[in-house]
mmCIF file with all atom_site columns, all heavy atoms in Angstrom:
data_model
loop_
_atom_site.group_PDB
_atom_site.id
_atom_site.type_symbol
_atom_site.label_atom_id
_atom_site.label_alt_id
_atom_site.label_comp_id
_atom_site.label_asym_id
_atom_site.label_entity_id
_atom_site.label_seq_id
_atom_site.pdbx_PDB_ins_code
_atom_site.Cartn_x
_atom_site.Cartn_y
_atom_site.Cartn_z
_atom_site.occupancy
_atom_site.B_iso_or_equiv
_atom_site.pdbx_formal_charge
_atom_site.auth_seq_id
_atom_site.auth_comp_id
_atom_site.auth_asym_id
_atom_site.auth_atom_id
_atom_site.pdbx_PDB_model_num
ATOM 1   N N   . ARG A 1 242 ? -6.843  -17.664 25.287 1.00 0.00 ? 250 ARG A N   1
ATOM 2   C CA  . ARG A 1 242 ? -7.975  -18.566 25.095 1.00 0.00 ? 250 ARG A CA  1
ATOM 3   C C   . ARG A 1 242 ? -9.201  -18.102 25.885 1.00 0.00 ? 250 ARG A C   1
ATOM 4   O O   . ARG A 1 242 ? -10.325 -18.472 25.561 1.00 0.00 ? 250 ARG A O   1
ATOM 5   C CB  . ARG A 1 242 ? -7.613  -19.984 25.550 1.00 0.00 ? 250 ARG A CB  1
ATOM 6   C CG  . ARG A 1 242 ? -6.582  -20.692 24.681 1.00 0.00 ? 250 ARG A CG  1
ATOM 7   C CD  . ARG A 1 242 ? -6.287  -22.059 25.288 1.00 0.00 ? 250 ARG A CD  1
ATOM 8   N NE  . ARG A 1 242 ? -5.074  -22.653 24.776 1.00 0.00 ? 250 ARG A NE  1
ATOM 9   C CZ  . ARG A 1 242 ? -5.017  -23.395 23.674 1.00 0.00 ? 250 ARG A CZ  1
ATOM 10  N NH1 . ARG A 1 242 ? -6.110  -23.619 22.990 1.00 0.00 ? 250 ARG A NH1 1
ATOM 11  N NH2 . ARG A 1 242 ? -3.881  -23.909 23.277 1.00 0.00 ? 250 ARG A NH2 1
ATOM 12  N N   . THR A 1 243 ? -8.972  -17.304 26.920 1.00 0.00 ? 251 THR A N   1
ATOM 13  C CA  . THR A 1 243 ? -10.101 -16.892 27.749 1.00 0.00 ? 251 THR A CA  1
ATOM 14  C C   . THR A 1 243 ? -10.985 -15.859 27.058 1.00 0.00 ? 251 THR A C   1
ATOM 15  O O   . THR A 1 243 ? -12.086 -15.596 27.501 1.00 0.00 ? 251 THR A O   1
ATOM 16  C CB  . THR A 1 243 ? -9.600  -16.297 29.079 1.00 0.00 ? 251 THR A CB  1
ATOM 17  O OG1 . THR A 1 243 ? -8.826  -15.119 28.803 1.00 0.00 ? 251 THR A OG1 1
ATOM 18  C CG2 . THR A 1 243 ? -8.738  -17.296 29.822 1.00 0.00 ? 251 THR A CG2 1
ATOM 19  N N   . VAL A 1 244 ? -10.486 -15.261 25.977 1.00 0.00 ? 252 VAL A N   1
ATOM 20  C CA  . VAL A 1 244 ? -11.263 -14.267 25.251 1.00 0.00 ? 252 VAL A CA  1
ATOM 21  C C   . VAL A 1 244 ? -12.007 -14.970 24.122 1.00 0.00 ? 252 VAL A C   1
ATOM 22  O O   . VAL A 1 244 ? -11.400 -15.455 23.182 1.00 0.00 ? 252 VAL A O   1
ATOM 23  C CB  . VAL A 1 244 ? -10.344 -13.163 24.675 1.00 0.00 ? 252 VAL A CB  1
ATOM 24  C CG1 . VAL A 1 244 ? -11.189 -12.133 23.936 1.00 0.00 ? 252 VAL A CG1 1
ATOM 25  C CG2 . VAL A 1 244 ? -9.542  -12.512 25.785 1.00 0.00 ? 252 VAL A CG2 1
ATOM 26  N N   . MET A 1 245 ? -13.307 -15.047 24.226 1.00 0.00 ? 253 MET A N   1
ATOM 27  C CA  . MET A 1 245 ? -14.105 -15.697 23.200 1.00 0.00 ? 253 MET A CA  1
ATOM 28  C C   . MET A 1 245 ? -14.320 -14.743 22.032 1.00 0.00 ? 253 MET A C   1
ATOM 29  O O   . MET A 1 245 ? -14.542 -13.551 22.233 1.00 0.00 ? 253 MET A O   1
ATOM 30  C CB  . MET A 1 245 ? -15.447 -16.138 23.775 1.00 0.00 ? 253 MET A CB  1
ATOM 31  C CG  . MET A 1 245 ? -15.322 -17.100 24.945 1.00 0.00 ? 253 MET A CG  1
ATOM 32  S SD  . MET A 1 245 ? -14.456 -18.626 24.466 1.00 0.00 ? 253 MET A SD  1
ATOM 33  C CE  . MET A 1 245 ? -15.695 -19.325 23.355 1.00 0.00 ? 253 MET A CE  1
ATOM 34  N N   . PRO A 1 246 ? -14.255 -15.222 20.780 1.00 0.00 ? 254 PRO A N   1
ATOM 35  C CA  . PRO A 1 246 ? -14.405 -14.351 19.615 1.00 0.00 ? 254 PRO A CA  1
ATOM 36  C C   . PRO A 1 246 ? -15.660 -13.490 19.649 1.00 0.00 ? 254 PRO A C   1
ATOM 37  O O   . PRO A 1 246 ? -15.646 -12.338 19.236 1.00 0.00 ? 254 PRO A O   1
ATOM 38  C CB  . PRO A 1 246 ? -14.440 -15.346 18.454 1.00 0.00 ? 254 PRO A CB  1
ATOM 39  C CG  . PRO A 1 246 ? -13.668 -16.536 18.947 1.00 0.00 ? 254 PRO A CG  1
ATOM 40  C CD  . PRO A 1 246 ? -13.972 -16.611 20.410 1.00 0.00 ? 254 PRO A CD  1
ATOM 41  N N   . GLU A 1 247 ? -16.773 -14.027 20.194 1.00 0.00 ? 255 GLU A N   1
ATOM 42  C CA  . GLU A 1 247 ? -18.015 -13.242 20.189 1.00 0.00 ? 255 GLU A CA  1
ATOM 43  C C   . GLU A 1 247 ? -17.955 -12.054 21.141 1.00 0.00 ? 255 GLU A C   1
ATOM 44  O O   . GLU A 1 247 ? -18.794 -11.166 21.096 1.00 0.00 ? 255 GLU A O   1
ATOM 45  C CB  . GLU A 1 247 ? -19.218 -14.124 20.533 1.00 0.00 ? 255 GLU A CB  1
ATOM 46  C CG  . GLU A 1 247 ? -19.121 -14.837 21.865 1.00 0.00 ? 255 GLU A CG  1
ATOM 47  C CD  . GLU A 1 247 ? -18.547 -16.239 21.716 1.00 0.00 ? 255 GLU A CD  1
ATOM 48  O OE1 . GLU A 1 247 ? -17.792 -16.465 20.757 1.00 0.00 ? 255 GLU A OE1 1
ATOM 49  O OE2 . GLU A 1 247 ? -18.872 -17.104 22.543 1.00 0.00 ? 255 GLU A OE2 1
ATOM 50  N N   . GLN A 1 248 ? -16.950 -12.020 22.022 1.00 0.00 ? 256 GLN A N   1
ATOM 51  C CA  . GLN A 1 248 ? -16.808 -10.891 22.931 1.00 0.00 ? 256 GLN A CA  1
ATOM 52  C C   . GLN A 1 248 ? -16.010 -9.753  22.312 1.00 0.00 ? 256 GLN A C   1
ATOM 53  O O   . GLN A 1 248 ? -15.945 -8.670  22.858 1.00 0.00 ? 256 GLN A O   1
ATOM 54  C CB  . GLN A 1 248 ? -16.084 -11.336 24.209 1.00 0.00 ? 256 GLN A CB  1
ATOM 55  C CG  . GLN A 1 248 ? -16.844 -12.350 25.055 1.00 0.00 ? 256 GLN A CG  1
ATOM 56  C CD  . GLN A 1 248 ? -16.006 -12.782 26.242 1.00 0.00 ? 256 GLN A CD  1
ATOM 57  O OE1 . GLN A 1 248 ? -15.147 -13.659 26.129 1.00 0.00 ? 256 GLN A OE1 1
ATOM 58  N NE2 . GLN A 1 248 ? -16.241 -12.134 27.375 1.00 0.00 ? 256 GLN A NE2 1
ATOM 59  N N   . VAL A 1 249 ? -15.401 -9.995  21.176 1.00 0.00 ? 257 VAL A N   1
ATOM 60  C CA  . VAL A 1 249 ? -14.496 -9.032  20.562 1.00 0.00 ? 257 VAL A CA  1
ATOM 61  C C   . VAL A 1 249 ? -15.226 -8.229  19.495 1.00 0.00 ? 257 VAL A C   1
ATOM 62  O O   . VAL A 1 249 ? -15.964 -8.785  18.691 1.00 0.00 ? 257 VAL A O   1
ATOM 63  C CB  . VAL A 1 249 ? -13.285 -9.759  19.944 1.00 0.00 ? 257 VAL A CB  1
ATOM 64  C CG1 . VAL A 1 249 ? -12.346 -8.769  19.285 1.00 0.00 ? 257 VAL A CG1 1
ATOM 65  C CG2 . VAL A 1 249 ? -12.552 -10.558 21.015 1.00 0.00 ? 257 VAL A CG2 1
ATOM 66  N N   . VAL A 1 250 ? -15.003 -6.920  19.477 1.00 0.00 ? 258 VAL A N   1
ATOM 67  C CA  . VAL A 1 250 ? -15.625 -6.087  18.453 1.00 0.00 ? 258 VAL A CA  1
ATOM 68  C C   . VAL A 1 250 ? -14.762 -6.104  17.196 1.00 0.00 ? 258 VAL A C   1
ATOM 69  O O   . VAL A 1 250 ? -13.581 -6.460  17.228 1.00 0.00 ? 258 VAL A O   1
ATOM 70  C CB  . VAL A 1 250 ? -15.826 -4.645  18.947 1.00 0.00 ? 258 VAL A CB  1
ATOM 71  C CG1 . VAL A 1 250 ? -16.721 -4.624  20.177 1.00 0.00 ? 258 VAL A CG1 1
ATOM 72  C CG2 . VAL A 1 250 ? -14.491 -3.974  19.250 1.00 0.00 ? 258 VAL A CG2 1
ATOM 73  N N   . SER A 1 251 ? -15.314 -5.700  16.086 1.00 0.00 ? 259 SER A N   1
ATOM 74  C CA  . SER A 1 251 ? -14.626 -5.762  14.797 1.00 0.00 ? 259 SER A CA  1
ATOM 75  C C   . SER A 1 251 ? -13.642 -4.614  14.628 1.00 0.00 ? 259 SER A C   1
ATOM 76  O O   . SER A 1 251 ? -13.683 -3.610  15.358 1.00 0.00 ? 259 SER A O   1
ATOM 77  C CB  . SER A 1 251 ? -15.645 -5.710  13.663 1.00 0.00 ? 259 SER A CB  1
ATOM 78  O OG  . SER A 1 251 ? -16.247 -4.430  13.606 1.00 0.00 ? 259 SER A OG  1
ATOM 79  N N   . LEU A 1 252 ? -12.767 -4.754  13.631 1.00 0.00 ? 260 LEU A N   1
ATOM 80  C CA  . LEU A 1 252 ? -11.836 -3.674  13.318 1.00 0.00 ? 260 LEU A CA  1
ATOM 81  C C   . LEU A 1 252 ? -12.600 -2.419  12.912 1.00 0.00 ? 260 LEU A C   1
ATOM 82  O O   . LEU A 1 252 ? -12.177 -1.303  13.213 1.00 0.00 ? 260 LEU A O   1
ATOM 83  C CB  . LEU A 1 252 ? -10.889 -4.090  12.190 1.00 0.00 ? 260 LEU A CB  1
ATOM 84  C CG  . LEU A 1 252 ? -9.857  -3.026  11.792 1.00 0.00 ? 260 LEU A CG  1
ATOM 85  C CD1 . LEU A 1 252 ? -8.855  -2.801  12.914 1.00 0.00 ? 260 LEU A CD1 1
ATOM 86  C CD2 . LEU A 1 252 ? -9.141  -3.397  10.502 1.00 0.00 ? 260 LEU A CD2 1
ATOM 87  N N   . ALA A 1 253 ? -13.736 -2.591  12.237 1.00 0.00 ? 261 ALA A N   1
ATOM 88  C CA  . ALA A 1 253 ? -14.529 -1.436  11.824 1.00 0.00 ? 261 ALA A CA  1
ATOM 89  C C   . ALA A 1 253 ? -14.950 -0.593  13.018 1.00 0.00 ? 261 ALA A C   1
ATOM 90  O O   . ALA A 1 253 ? -15.085 0.630   12.907 1.00 0.00 ? 261 ALA A O   1
ATOM 91  C CB  . ALA A 1 253 ? -15.761 -1.899  11.047 1.00 0.00 ? 261 ALA A CB  1
ATOM 92  N N   . GLU A 1 254 ? -15.137 -1.218  14.168 1.00 0.00 ? 262 GLU A N   1
ATOM 93  C CA  . GLU A 1 254 ? -15.550 -0.480  15.354 1.00 0.00 ? 262 GLU A CA  1
ATOM 94  C C   . GLU A 1 254 ? -14.387 0.209   16.057 1.00 0.00 ? 262 GLU A C   1
ATOM 95  O O   . GLU A 1 254 ? -14.552 1.263   16.676 1.00 0.00 ? 262 GLU A O   1
ATOM 96  C CB  . GLU A 1 254 ? -16.263 -1.427  16.329 1.00 0.00 ? 262 GLU A CB  1
ATOM 97  C CG  . GLU A 1 254 ? -17.578 -1.975  15.793 1.00 0.00 ? 262 GLU A CG  1
ATOM 98  C CD  . GLU A 1 254 ? -18.223 -2.968  16.747 1.00 0.00 ? 262 GLU A CD  1
ATOM 99  O OE1 . GLU A 1 254 ? -18.940 -2.516  17.656 1.00 0.00 ? 262 GLU A OE1 1
ATOM 100 O OE2 . GLU A 1 254 ? -18.001 -4.185  16.573 1.00 0.00 ? 262 GLU A OE2 1
#
Side-chain angles (χ1 to χ4, degrees):
R250 291 178 196 273
T251 63
V252 181
M253 301 300 292
E255 57 266 27
Q256 295 177 278
V257 179
V258 300
S259 69
L260 181 68
E262 295 177 85

